[in-house]
Amino acid sequence: SQKIEQNSEALNIQEGKTATLTCNYTNYSPAYLQWYRQDPGRGPVFLLLIRENEKEKRKERLKVTFDTTLKQSLFHITASQPADSATYLCALISNFGNEKLTFGTGTRLTIIP
Amino acid sequence: NAGVTQTPKFRILKIGQSMTLQCTQDMNHNYMYWYRQDPGMGLKLIYYSVGAGITDKGEVPNGYNVSRSTTEDFPLRLELAAPSQTSVYFCASRTQGFPGELFFGEGSRLTVL
């Protein structure tokens, strides 16, 4: 069955360091992958997307990589700040039946001052 | 633009009661979705719609019904509420084409006692 796993439920990182979050998938052929941020009590907010033929995408302090051989995406936040503390969700959409996005379980990131 | 609006924000139901969660969007999006989010479980797709008059089941449709009579509205009906339906429900919408980032509402927290 299709599965999307994010590396850990919670991740604590010192302020100023780079936070790296992992999204692994199995039995899936994604056309592209999206990352969302979710703050407590709020709906998820779209951050970045990367297509299957792209290796890397950047937006300000955010960087996403996509390795279809390893079936993995890495999400990096450089020069992390306490305001980056949130839950981060990856979501995949397939080439086929592309109406649906399937979400991972999320990683709760805390940036420690 | 208000984006995606969900009502109510909070609701407590007794076992066996029924209710409708309302969702409306003002972005003229064709695609609309209902997800539920349980602690540590990520977002699970309940139902989705690719346009007025068209709906389809997601991963966890049992105990729910939807309708899509207009582009703007996508209500979710809970019949005979059960404690297993205690969750936070999110409505989302997106445009038809790629990449199709999702726009989420703020969520509806439902407790069934």
Side-chain angles (χ1 to χ4, degrees):
Chain A
S1 61
Q2 294 176 338
K3 205 181 228 184
I4 302 170
E5 290 181 324
Q6 295 190 238
N7 55 329
S8 58
E9 277 197 28
L11 188 63
N12 296 328
I13 299 292
Q14 204 71 35
E15 182 178 3
K17 303 289 187 187
T18 296
T20 299
L21 284 65
T22 305
C23 178
N24 295 300
Y25 59 92
T26 53
N27 297 324
Y28 213 106
S29 297
Y32 58 88
L33 188 148
Q34 300 180 347
W35 283 89
Y36 289 79
R37 169 185 173 136
Q38 186 176 22
D39 292 294
R42 309 295 297 273
V45 174
F46 172 79
L47 292 174
L48 274 173
L49 79 91
I50 186 166
R51 300 175 196 275
E52 60 176 336
N53 59 354
E54 295 176 318
K55 296 290 185 197
E56 183 179 298
K57 206 77 170 286
R58 292 176 185 261
K59 180 182 174 183
E60 297 173 353
R61 293 185 296 112
L62 308 180
K63 183 178 87 170
V64 173
T65 62
F66 196 7
D67 189 326
T68 54
T69 303
L70 292 178
K71 297 186 186 296
Q72 181 181 80
S73 174
L74 298 179
F75 177 81
H76 307 272
I77 305 176
T78 58
S80 59
Q81 305 166 0
D84 295 325
S85 299
T87 296
Y88 292 86
L89 301 159
C90 67
L92 280 77
I93 187 163
S94 172
N95 273 315
F96 307 101
N98 56 32
E99 301 87 3
K100 295 182 281 189
L101 271 74
T102 304
F103 282 83
T105 50
T107 296
R108 189 172 67 252
L109 175 67
T110 302
I111 306 300
I112 302 165
Chain B
N1 282 355
V4 178
T5 303
Q6 291 182 235
T7 56
K9 287 190 177 357
F10 302 94
R11 183 73 186 267
I12 298 175
L13 280 183
K14 294 184 179 175
I15 294 171
Q17 287 185 319
S18 299
M19 75 160 297
T20 299
L21 298 177
Q22 301 291 345
C23 175
T24 188
Q25 52 93 9
D26 62 359
M27 297 173 281
N28 202 34
H29 286 168
N30 289 326
Y31 289 15
M32 294 188 75
Y33 303 81
W34 275 106
Y35 288 90
R36 60 176 286 172
Q37 187 174 40
D38 302 308
M41 298 297 288
L43 290 161
K44 299 291 186 189
L45 182 63
I46 305 171
Y47 270 96
Y48 67 100
S49 168
V50 300
I54 306 168
T55 62
D56 207 347
K57 296 177 181 178
E59 291 176 82
V60 290
N62 291 344
Y64 307 95
N65 274 303
V66 293
S67 59
R68 185 94 182 270
S69 56
T70 66
T71 299
E72 295 77 20
D73 300 307
F74 190 40
L76 178 71
R77 178 86 179 157
L78 281 74
E79 305 281 2
L80 299 174
S84 61
Q85 293 178 305
T86 294
S87 189
V88 181
Y89 293 84
F90 288 99
C91 179
S93 72
R94 71 173 177 98
T95 57
Q96 184 170 348
F98 286 136
E101 64 177 275
L102 285 180
F103 292 82
F104 282 87
E106 291 298 296
S108 297
R109 182 177 293 275
L110 176 67
T111 302
V112 182
L113 300 173

